[in-house]
């Protein structure tokens, strides 16, 4: 939750009037994180305090994997065509373990129907470029991939400041959100 890129992104979006809720899970287990994420989404959906018409989910690394899993689970249990979840932002999606490209973590991505933005480093040791592009080509959802040139899984780029990289990420996410909100209101 306090990863600098997430703090920067939430601040950027909030400064443009986008309501952001950040939370974290102490456990590293993907099933536990998915359950916690799903609980938050269900609370927001049913809350009389917020009265939201929809949300975009986002996460970094395992958080983006948990968000994808939540979207798949909720869409499988959704009989009334509810479109509360309007999109997914995946920062540094962990498509595979380092040096284990043969076992992809793509099962949830292939079932998602809402728009998806991937922001990944072109040198990410957990998301080989050709493999993510291959998975994206199989996805039924509208999707966009933005590659941060020479960035690793932590979005560090030799020769660039962290702030510079964060500005690129923030601009891409904000622009994509705007495009997708505009499409839904057209």
């Amino acid at each position: 939750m306090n990863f600098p890129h997430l703090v920067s992104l939430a601040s950027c979006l909030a400064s443009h009037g986008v309501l952001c809720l950040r939370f974290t899970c102490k456990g590293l287990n993907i099933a536990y994180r998915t359950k916690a994420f799903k609980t938050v989404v269900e609370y927001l959906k049913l809350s009389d305090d917020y009265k939201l018409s929809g949300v975009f989910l986002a996460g970094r690394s395992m958080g983006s994997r948990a968000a994808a899993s939540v979207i798949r689970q909720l869409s499988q249990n959704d009989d009334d065509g509810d479109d509360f979840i309007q999109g997914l932002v995946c920062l540094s999606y962990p498509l595979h373990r380092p040096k284990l490209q043969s076992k992809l973590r793509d099962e949830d991505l292939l079932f998602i129907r809402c728009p998806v933005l991937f922001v990944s480093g072109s040198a990410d040791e957990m998301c080989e470029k050709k493999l993510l592009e291959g998975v994206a080509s199989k996805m039924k959802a509208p999707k966009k991939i933005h590659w941060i040139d020479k960035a690793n899984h932590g979005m560090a780029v030799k020769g660039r400041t962290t702030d510079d990289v964060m500005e690129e990420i923030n601009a891409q996410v904000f622009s994509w959100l705007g495009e997708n909100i505009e499409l839904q209101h057209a």
Side-chain angles (χ1 to χ4, degrees):
M1 178 176 95
N2 292 317
F3 191 77
H5 296 96
L6 296 177
V7 173
S8 175
L9 179 59
S11 295
C12 171
L13 295 176
S15 75
H16 287 89
V18 178
L19 176 65
C20 296
L21 170 66
R22 296 181 316 122
F23 65 95
T24 192
C25 299
K26 294 203 185 267
L28 292 176
N29 177 295
I30 187 68
Y32 175 80
R33 285 186 177 208
T34 300
K35 184 177 176 184
F37 211 133
K38 185 176 176 187
T39 300
V40 171
V41 170
E42 288 172 339
Y43 171 78
L44 290 173
K45 184 176 179 179
L46 301 174
S47 173
D48 288 332
D49 295 331
Y50 296 102
K51 298 185 185 347
L52 301 174
S53 60
V55 295
F56 285 81
L57 302 187
R60 184 199 164 277
S61 194
M62 192 188 299
S64 63
R65 212 175 136 210
S69 185
V70 166
I71 293 172
R72 178 182 180 182
Q73 288 177 23
L74 292 176
S75 67
Q76 288 176 331
N77 300 330
D78 187 11
D79 298 331
D80 60 358
D82 183 8
D83 58 354
F84 184 70
I85 298 174
Q86 298 175 5
L88 171 63
V89 177
C90 296
L91 304 177
S92 295
Y93 187 86
L95 187 59
H96 54 78
R97 292 180 182 200
K99 299 179 183 169
L100 192 61
Q101 292 88 341
S102 61
K103 189 168 188 256
L104 298 183
R105 299 165 173 162
D106 62 351
E107 57 280 348
D108 292 321
L109 298 174
L110 300 176
F111 286 90
I112 293 174
R113 299 288 182 267
C114 64
V116 180
L117 171 65
F118 294 96
V119 180
S120 289
S122 66
D124 186 339
E125 60 279 8
M126 296 179 72
C127 189
E128 191 175 300
K129 192 173 180 177
K130 284 183 182 178
L131 294 176
L132 181 59
E133 289 170 347
V135 169
S137 73
K138 294 185 230 169
M139 291 173 64
K140 294 182 173 89
K143 66 271 178 193
K144 177 180 178 182
I145 303 173
H146 178 77
W147 295 105
I148 305 292
D149 192 40
K150 299 177 184 163
N152 64 16
H153 189 68
M155 293 293 183
V157 180
K158 199 177 247 183
R160 285 183 72 184
T161 65
T162 301
D163 286 344
D164 184 48
V165 174
M166 286 191 281
E167 284 177 27
E168 182 179 346
I169 293 168
N170 296 349
Q172 286 297 318
V173 173
F174 183 68
S175 172
W176 180 84
L177 285 174
E179 291 167 14
N180 282 281
I181 290 169
E182 208 172 90
L183 287 175
Q184 293 182 11
H185 290 76

